[in-house]
Amino acid sequence: MIHPARKKTASIQYGDSAIDFAIEPRSTDTPKVLIKVHPDCRVVAHAPPLASDDEIIQAVKKRARWIHRQMRYFEDQRKDILPRRYVSGESHFYLGRRHVLKIHETPRSAPEVKLLRGVLEVKTRTPQSEKIRSLLFDWYKAKAREVFERRLDEVLPKTLWIKEKPSIRLLSMQTQWGSCSPKGQLTLNPHLVKAPRECIDYVLLHELCHIAEHNHSEHFYRLMKQVMPHWEKVKERLDGMAYFYLNDV
């Protein structure tokens, strides 16, 4: 049996390809093995403690075609994304929309970033890519703080189990949009501000549901369905754009 505190890795063969996957514990509330394919092509099987290794492997084998298809989808997306150069003409996301980047070299003015009529304007004394990247990240982080606080105020009335408004911490992450501490502090990826408001709401609600239920149990998913009935479609939309939003992490 797999102990809840232990994490393991395993592999299955699908055609000519090997599918490596991690095994992580899931709540005892359900006997099902939940399989996820992340945008970075990590495959994770969330298994209840009583599931045997053979049961987990069989569950992964049954979903092998779907897993392989998801991995190919994310790999194809990755190939289409060019590395950031931080030059005029590039497109950058904010709240789900693409905005054209325009660089202004202003030797005598203070550095500044502003969004005006669909153009993301950056004023800088030194138009070097690293400097522009840094200015943009600071701008995204400031906007993320504003937007996340505002969206949290919007969704909180749906979460009746929350007694006090949680605090928000920002942390740039490569594979996570957010997390929730045992004490209820929310940690959110500032790059999430590039996604549509509905996707931001989904991440907030997901983490708020974890305050009531720390595991991905059936109770957790019932809460998610209650506060956002179509959360699975929103999650799929966010996952599908993850590489674009995280291209410059």
Side-chain angles (χ1 to χ4, degrees):
M1 303 297 177
I2 296 168
H3 192 276
R6 191 194 314 156
K7 293 184 180 180
K8 301 175 61 174
T9 57
S11 180
I12 66 166
Q13 196 71 23
Y14 179 74
D16 296 330
S17 305
I19 296 177
D20 300 319
F21 60 95
I23 301 171
E24 296 186 3
R26 191 181 184 191
S27 168
T28 56
D29 293 355
T30 173
K32 295 181 180 178
V33 176
L34 177 68
I35 300 168
K36 291 184 179 180
V37 180
H38 293 266
D40 61 357
C41 291
R42 286 183 305 116
V43 181
V44 181
H46 297 273
L50 296 179
S52 67
D53 289 2
D54 186 60
E55 288 172 333
I56 297 168
I57 289 171
Q58 289 305 316
V60 174
K61 284 183 175 179
K62 286 181 181 178
R63 302 296 305 281
R65 184 178 179 184
W66 173 82
I67 294 169
H68 189 259
R69 189 166 63 242
Q70 287 295 104
M71 292 175 70
R72 287 287 299 272
Y73 170 75
F74 287 130
E75 285 170 357
D76 288 344
Q77 268 200 337
R78 199 172 187 176
K79 291 174 185 175
D80 293 338
I81 300 175
L82 298 174
R84 292 289 190 195
R85 295 173 57 211
Y86 299 98
V87 295
S88 292
E90 276 188 348
S91 64
H92 289 252
F93 284 92
Y94 177 65
L95 293 179
R97 295 185 177 180
R98 292 178 186 265
H99 301 280
V100 177
L101 182 65
K102 190 171 184 180
I103 311 298
H104 298 279
E105 187 174 354
T106 54
R108 297 178 183 178
S109 301
E112 182 185 17
V113 179
K114 62 181 180 180
L115 182 60
L116 186 64
R117 292 189 290 273
V119 177
L120 193 55
E121 295 187 349
V122 178
K123 293 182 181 179
T124 177
R125 294 171 183 169
T126 54
Q128 297 171 347
S129 60
E130 272 305 309
K131 178 63 177 177
I132 296 164
R133 181 182 185 275
S134 177
L135 288 170
L136 279 174
F137 179 72
D138 289 345
W139 181 83
Y140 274 120
K141 200 168 183 178
K143 288 294 183 183
R145 173 70 64 184
E146 295 174 13
V147 172
F148 296 166
E149 291 286 354
R150 193 162 60 244
R151 298 315 304 165
L152 181 57
D153 288 337
E154 285 289 322
V155 302
L156 266 180
K158 299 180 180 181
T159 56
L160 302 179
W161 58 90
I162 305 292
K163 304 304 179 185
E164 295 182 9
K165 181 180 177 180
S167 62
I168 292 177
R169 181 174 73 111
L170 299 180
L171 179 66
S172 184
M173 298 174 279
Q174 291 186 334
T175 60
Q176 279 184 283
W177 293 119
S179 63
C180 177
S181 75
K183 293 184 178 180
Q185 183 187 53
L186 306 182
T187 298
L188 299 174
N189 193 331
H191 294 279
L192 178 62
V193 79
K194 299 173 185 178
R197 289 179 182 85
E198 188 177 41
C199 294
I200 296 170
D201 290 356
Y202 155 71
V203 174
L204 283 168
L205 288 168
H206 183 106
E207 301 310 330
L208 291 172
C209 285
H210 275 312
I211 292 177
E213 180 60 56
H214 296 297
N215 297 309
H216 288 115
S217 64
E218 293 300 322
H219 179 225
F220 171 84
Y221 289 113
R222 282 198 299 270
L223 282 178
M224 276 302 301
K225 199 77 173 177
Q226 178 183 320
V227 296
M228 181 177 268
H230 61 301
W231 70 267
E232 289 171 295
K233 290 184 178 180
V234 180
K235 179 185 183 301
E236 185 178 348
R237 181 183 181 190
L238 179 60
D239 287 347
M241 292 297 290
Y243 274 129
F244 292 95
Y245 300 150
L246 298 172
N247 188 21
D248 53 359
V249 173

